[in-house]
Amino acid sequence: MTSIIRLKYLAVLRMNWIQALEYRANALVGLIAILSGLFIEYQIWGLIFETQGISSVKGFTFSGLMVFIFLSIIVGQLKSSWHTSGEMIEGIRTGDINKYLIRPVSYFWYHFMMFIGYNSLYYIVYAAMITGLVLFMPSGTLFPSVFHMLGFLLSLCVSVYLSYCIYYTMICFAFWFGEVRSLVVAYNLAMIILSGQYIPIRLFPDNVLRIIDWTPFRYLVDFPVSIATGLIPPSEWPSAFGYAIAWCVVISLVSSMVYRLGIRSYEAYGS
């Protein structure tokens, strides 16, 4: 039975992987978005370092800051579930979700595999970009050891899953509200800042950092990037992973509860 379930969701992953290959230009658009964002950051921070006459800011040298931001933008792109969330919201609004309710599939895991499959092409392109950065930068700037690379991959998996759970929770509000996209857009805009996608949260004031530490936002971008750049020593990894996994469990339970409540009130409008 377990093998059948595994093959079922792997088939969904494979189907969306094939679909992603049909639209390879999307990866080019994502690449341009990352490089353009990095160029803007380079110009802004270059001007700050030059006009202020400083060589570092809160422990970041200019090159180290650019590497951190570059990797943060990539992680931010990989965790985004904007495309999948739009389809799910529309499915609930139009009644397309009905076909999932009468089939032996989990709505959560089915769309999670769709999300992974849709982003699979980005994984390959961005992995090539990171590899090029590792070869270009001085040794130890990024991934000081193989252990850090493995830690980054594991923390990235946690980040992607946690991000999807947050999106899924917001999507389930479509059972009660006619339009939830505005909520998702507001979340995306907030996460660009609060997760450290374009500005490292280590540069934030201490009182803001204390608030962020009590939220799952730190584990979306800053956590995996800090491991990759060696800013989090391996001795602190167990507690950091513990908090991140705890947030995954909490948000998973919340999303499941919201979905079940939504299904109870769902009346298949639009079907």
Side-chain angles (χ1 to χ4, degrees):
M1 179 63 69
T2 304
S3 60
I4 294 176
I5 295 175
R6 187 186 304 115
L7 290 174
K8 176 169 57 180
Y9 292 113
L10 286 177
V12 177
L13 176 63
R14 180 175 178 274
M15 177 182 64
N16 283 272
W17 159 248
I18 294 174
Q19 184 179 7
L21 291 178
E22 294 177 355
Y23 298 94
R24 292 184 291 271
N26 288 343
L28 178 61
V29 174
L31 179 63
I32 294 174
I34 288 179
L35 294 179
S36 60
L38 182 63
F39 175 77
I40 294 173
E41 293 277 356
Y42 181 89
Q43 296 297 323
I44 293 175
W45 284 106
L47 185 61
I48 292 174
F49 272 76
E50 181 180 352
T51 55
Q52 297 297 320
I54 56 178
S55 59
S56 66
V57 53
K58 286 199 172 183
F60 284 107
T61 62
F62 179 72
S63 60
L65 181 62
M66 289 299 99
V67 169
F68 193 94
I69 292 175
F70 176 72
L71 193 56
S72 295
I73 296 175
I74 290 180
V75 173
Q77 292 280 355
L78 292 178
K79 73 171 182 58
S80 176
S81 183
W82 170 253
H83 175 78
T84 307
S85 61
E87 289 187 358
M88 295 171 72
I89 292 171
E90 186 68 16
I92 295 174
R93 190 180 68 84
T94 62
D96 190 57
I97 189 180
N98 294 347
K99 63 184 179 183
Y100 300 103
L101 301 179
I102 60 176
R103 294 175 181 173
V105 294
S106 165
Y107 192 65
F108 178 93
W109 290 109
Y110 182 91
H111 283 88
F112 180 71
M113 300 308 288
M114 284 185 62
F115 163 58
I116 298 298
Y118 179 81
N119 282 348
S120 54
L121 186 59
Y122 295 101
Y123 297 150
I124 296 175
V125 174
Y126 295 166
M129 294 176 64
I130 294 174
T131 301
L133 181 63
V134 171
L135 297 175
F136 175 77
M137 295 300 296
S139 177
T141 303
L142 189 61
F143 304 121
S145 69
V146 176
F147 188 55
H148 286 80
M149 184 177 297
L150 295 176
F152 169 73
L153 293 176
L154 181 58
S155 60
L156 179 61
C157 292
V158 173
S159 168
V160 169
Y161 179 79
L162 179 59
S163 176
Y164 175 78
C165 288
I166 296 174
Y167 274 106
Y168 185 80
T169 303
M170 293 187 294
I171 289 165
C172 289
F173 282 103
F175 287 113
W176 296 281
F177 302 100
E179 183 55 67
V180 187
R181 287 187 178 88
S182 57
L183 177 62
V184 176
V185 171
Y187 168 78
N188 283 336
L189 293 176
M191 284 308 97
I192 288 178
I193 304 299
L194 297 179
S195 66
Q197 184 170 338
Y198 283 94
I199 302 176
I201 62 175
R202 296 170 182 271
L203 303 181
F204 290 3
D206 291 338
N207 56 341
V208 176
L209 279 177
R210 282 193 291 270
I211 296 174
I212 294 178
D213 284 339
W214 286 95
T215 70
F217 305 148
R218 172 182 284 276
Y219 304 100
L220 296 177
V221 173
D222 181 79
F223 177 48
V225 177
S226 294
I227 287 181
T229 53
L231 293 179
I232 299 180
S235 60
E236 297 180 9
W237 290 10
S239 60
F241 272 106
Y243 283 119
I245 294 173
W247 272 116
C248 288
V249 173
V250 170
I251 303 299
S252 294
L253 293 176
V254 171
S255 65
S256 178
M257 180 185 66
V258 175
Y259 174 76
R260 291 178 184 275
L261 291 174
I263 289 296
R264 289 179 184 177
S265 63
Y266 178 63
E267 298 183 5
Y269 292 125
S271 61

